[in-house]
Amino acid sequence: MKFITKRIHAFLDYPVAIALIVLPFLLGLGTSNPIALQLSVATGISAFILTLLTDHHLGAFRVVSYKTHLIVDFLVAVVFIVAPFIFSFKGIDAYYYWINGAAVLSVVSMHKPEIT
């Protein structure tokens, strides 16, 4: 069932980017490995910039295609799912990445293709 449109996705991008920056501090990430906090914050900053640059109605500069944006989202999801194994994240650190990775994969997989 594909129902997430480009417009819906655009509205999700900014709050998700901000959450990736703020939540690690609120949840106390980094107890099993400091990279757990740093990776989320760096990804959040990058996601915010990517959204500003994406060619959708909330993009400020629109130089990155929406298709490229979706590919980056997919790659971030994969990194988030494997990061706990690579960096030995435990507890909340691991769960945070697995849940976020699964959520991003879900959003990307439910993307409704545009009819051109």
Side-chain angles (χ1 to χ4, degrees), residues 20-93:
L20 288 170
I21 296 166
V22 174
L23 279 177
F25 296 101
L26 296 177
L27 296 173
L29 293 191
T31 56
S32 64
N33 187 332
I35 293 173
L37 184 138
Q38 298 161 356
L39 178 61
S40 183
V41 173
T43 303
I45 293 167
S46 299
F48 194 88
I49 293 167
L50 177 63
T51 302
L52 286 171
L53 297 175
T54 298
D55 184 17
H56 57 44
H57 72 286
L58 294 179
F61 302 103
R62 301 179 184 186
V63 294
V64 175
S65 74
Y66 184 63
K67 182 178 179 179
T68 300
H69 180 112
L70 288 174
I71 291 168
V72 171
D73 282 353
F74 174 79
L75 294 173
V76 166
V78 171
V79 168
F80 273 25
I81 290 168
V82 300
F85 300 105
I86 294 170
F87 298 113
S88 301
F89 296 166
K90 304 289 182 224
I92 187 78
D93 292 348

Side-chain angles (χ1 to χ4, degrees), residues 89-101:
F89 296 166
K90 304 289 182 224
I92 187 78
D93 292 348
Y95 294 124
Y96 175 86
Y97 281 93
W98 288 328
I99 290 167
N100 276 301

